[in-house]
Amino acid sequence: MSPFLNKTGTAVEADEGVWPIRRRRILDWLVNETRNERFIDNILVEMCGKLLSAGVPVARATLHFRTNHPQWIGARILWKEGLTEAKINTFAYGVENTPEFLTSPVNAIHRGAEEVRRRLEGAVDTDLDSFYRELRDDGLTEYIAWPLEHTFGKRHVATFSTSRPGGFTSEHVDFLRDLLPALTLISEIRLKNIMARTLLQTYVGPHASEQILSGVTTRGSGATVGAAIMICDLRDFTAISDLWPRDDVIHLLNDYFDAMSDPIERYGGEILKFMGDGLLAIFPLSKETACADLLQAIREGQASMAELNEQHARAGREPLRYGVGVHVGDVMYGNIGSRRRLDFTVIGPAVNIASRLESLTKEVKRPVLLSRAFVEMAGCAKDMDSLGTFPLRGLGEPVDVFAFPERWAQAGSDAAFVSP
């Protein structure tokens, strides 16, 4: 049995496991007054300030989270005494197999430890690994790590360190341990919010994800926007997928999409979907440089594809070929689909023209084709090759078609396109 104070401040007896051991103002703040703070790093900074004000000598605190992210396996949020903002570090997949992680207290918590506590004051180098030596050399005297148990047993980690001579007292440790249930709840809520945003950004793109998170979730909801449209498709993919091993096909597709997608995102385009071996992207005309940005993205994508084909040549493989169609116009941007399964995308005649231009690249043997409407808006007619007028399937009127000069495919991205 252990004593604690009830709401009126009266000392009573509590059964083992009753929480909180003692009700403190900081617990009320965590549970009731952080609801309007979206980010857990800001909550950590403010919490540590309140701990210091309450007499708990915290000099360093961290939160370690496993994340559902295509690039990062996890993240660490670090606060040190004197900092007004926490530092956030992300860790790539593979770090979990490094010697540094395998011997770390964070890994020990993930493997089931309920507490990792280490006195640093007075310890000699031979008794400490490099992580603890670094903390000791920073003037810290004790380190404690505890699990944050989220739903379905998903474990994350909270750590606290002090520079107080002698380390934490038992009262300090009880104080910190009493925070864990509340910290677990509020961190899970924030982490799930982050994961929802990350997953939406991963699968539908940053702009569409913001629309969805803001409530644009009903079928047919959306808006008409002006956009430069780009559709790209890989050639001979059916033959490749039939002949190559499965893992090699996936690796090829990832390399191809990296080459074409990275410049699109770098220049402000939004990739709305990957369609097998193709992609659909838009550059909203709300940005004045949208057309120039699209052109530069294609040029840099071509340069990356040229580098990728050099790798294929060294491996004795045929070069990858592709087609790109570009148009500009108004599109319906929003939710399309069945009652229960929606796709956030763009539709409209302008998208159809871009698609037909991409298909036309197979006939005219030029990898990038652009409509006159786009070329005139971009002001780049003098830089392009005019190929004449072509009828496009499903369209009543033929379209004047332009092509990237063939030299651009080899020129790389050193000479940026500049709209006059």
Side-chain angles (χ1 to χ4, degrees):
M1 308 289 282
S2 56
F4 73 107
L5 298 181
N6 64 15
K7 290 183 179 180
T8 64
T10 305
V12 298
E13 295 294 317
D15 293 333
E16 192 68 26
V18 169
W19 177 84
I21 297 172
R22 178 181 174 186
R23 183 168 178 176
R24 298 177 173 89
R25 177 69 185 89
I26 192 171
L27 279 176
D28 290 336
W29 169 78
L30 275 171
V31 173
N32 297 316
E33 299 176 32
T34 59
R35 62 174 61 94
N36 292 324
E37 177 52 67
R38 177 185 297 178
F39 303 110
I40 189 63
D41 54 309
N42 292 336
I43 292 175
L44 176 66
V45 171
E46 190 170 354
M47 183 185 76
C48 289
K50 291 181 181 297
L51 284 170
L52 290 173
S53 297
V56 181
V58 175
R60 180 185 186 272
T62 63
L63 298 174
H64 302 253
F65 297 113
R66 293 284 185 117
T67 59
N68 290 334
H69 193 280
Q71 288 179 278
W72 318 117
I73 189 174
R76 181 193 70 175
I77 303 172
L78 168 67
W79 171 86
K80 291 183 177 181
E81 190 172 4
L83 293 181
T84 57
E85 293 185 0
K87 295 181 178 180
I88 302 176
N89 301 102
T90 52
F91 299 94
Y93 288 91
V95 70
E96 72 274 19
N97 299 318
T98 62
E100 293 80 7
F101 179 81
L102 292 174
T103 58
S104 70
V106 171
N107 186 45
I109 295 293
H110 281 305
R111 292 174 60 187
E114 295 300 326
E115 179 181 281
V116 175
R117 187 172 182 180
R118 190 62 185 265
R119 288 295 180 93
L120 308 173
E121 187 178 27
V124 298
D125 286 355
T126 54
D127 293 336
L128 301 174
D129 63 22
S130 58
F131 170 72
Y132 290 122
R133 284 200 300 271
E134 182 179 341
L135 295 182
R136 183 204 59 189
D137 293 344
D138 282 344
L140 299 175
T141 58
E142 187 173 10
Y143 171 95
I144 304 177
W146 287 302
L148 298 176
E149 297 274 6
H150 285 190
T151 306
F152 298 123
K154 293 181 179 179
R155 276 199 163 199
H156 307 280
V157 183
T159 81
F160 300 94
S161 303
T162 184
S163 57
R164 176 183 177 275
F168 290 117
T169 67
S170 59
E171 289 79 10
H172 297 150
V173 173
D174 286 344
F175 196 124
L176 293 171
R177 190 180 282 115
D178 231 11
L179 298 181
L180 295 180
L183 186 57
T184 296
L185 290 173
I186 65 164
S187 66
E188 178 159 22
I189 293 168
R190 272 67 182 186
L191 189 60
K192 287 188 183 298
N193 288 342
I194 292 171
M195 286 182 177
R197 187 176 298 272
T198 297
L199 289 172
L200 281 171
Q201 289 176 346
T202 300
Y203 287 99
V204 303
H207 299 94
S209 68
E210 291 302 319
Q211 293 286 315
I212 294 168
L213 287 169
S214 67
V216 183
T217 57
T218 58
R219 184 169 58 167
S221 60
T224 298
V225 299
I229 306 146
M230 168 186 170
I231 293 180
C232 180
D233 191 67
L234 189 65
R235 297 286 174 257
D236 305 319
F237 179 69
T238 300
I240 291 172
S241 60
D242 287 342
L243 297 174
W244 287 28
R246 183 204 65 175
D247 290 349
D248 289 351
V249 171
I250 293 174
H251 184 69
L252 176 148
L253 276 177
N254 288 336
D255 286 345
Y256 152 66
F257 283 132
D258 278 345
M260 299 304 294
S261 301
D262 287 352
I264 292 172
E265 294 176 337
R266 187 160 55 248
Y267 285 96
E270 180 174 4
I271 299 170
L272 292 175
K273 63 173 61 181
F274 294 104
M275 306 167 289
D277 58 335
L279 66 83
L280 166 64
I282 63 170
F283 289 72
L285 296 180
S286 54
K287 185 179 180 182
E288 292 183 1
T289 59
C291 292
D293 290 338
L294 184 150
L295 291 170
Q296 190 63 21
I298 293 176
R299 292 196 61 183
E300 294 192 14
Q302 287 187 302
S304 296
M305 287 297 294
E307 294 177 4
L308 182 58
N309 279 331
E310 288 178 5
Q311 298 174 21
H312 278 253
R314 289 193 293 270
R317 291 174 171 172
E318 292 295 318
L320 298 176
R321 299 183 301 111
Y322 55 91
V324 179
V326 178
H327 185 51
V328 66
D330 289 339
V331 296
M332 189 282 184
Y333 180 62
N335 283 301
I336 309 295
S338 68
R339 286 188 293 269
R340 298 182 180 178
R341 177 67 174 86
L342 298 176
D343 186 17
F344 205 96
T345 187
V346 292
I347 59 171
V351 180
N352 298 337
I353 292 174
S355 178
R356 301 295 187 267
L357 289 171
E358 182 276 315
S359 296
L360 185 63
T361 62
K362 304 172 188 176
E363 300 177 26
V364 300
K365 309 301 181 184
R366 299 292 286 270
V368 182
L369 297 181
L370 313 97
S371 67
R372 175 176 290 279
F374 176 86
V375 166
E376 289 181 347
M377 180 169 287
C380 63
K382 62 182 176 56
D383 297 315
M384 303 297 166
D385 294 340
S386 175
L387 302 186
T389 301
F390 291 81
L392 300 181
R393 180 171 57 86
L395 299 178
E397 296 293 331
V399 174
D400 292 339
V401 177
F402 293 76
F404 264 31
E406 292 182 335
R407 68 181 184 277
W408 280 18
Q410 290 81 33
S413 59
D414 292 335
F417 172 83
V418 179
S419 181

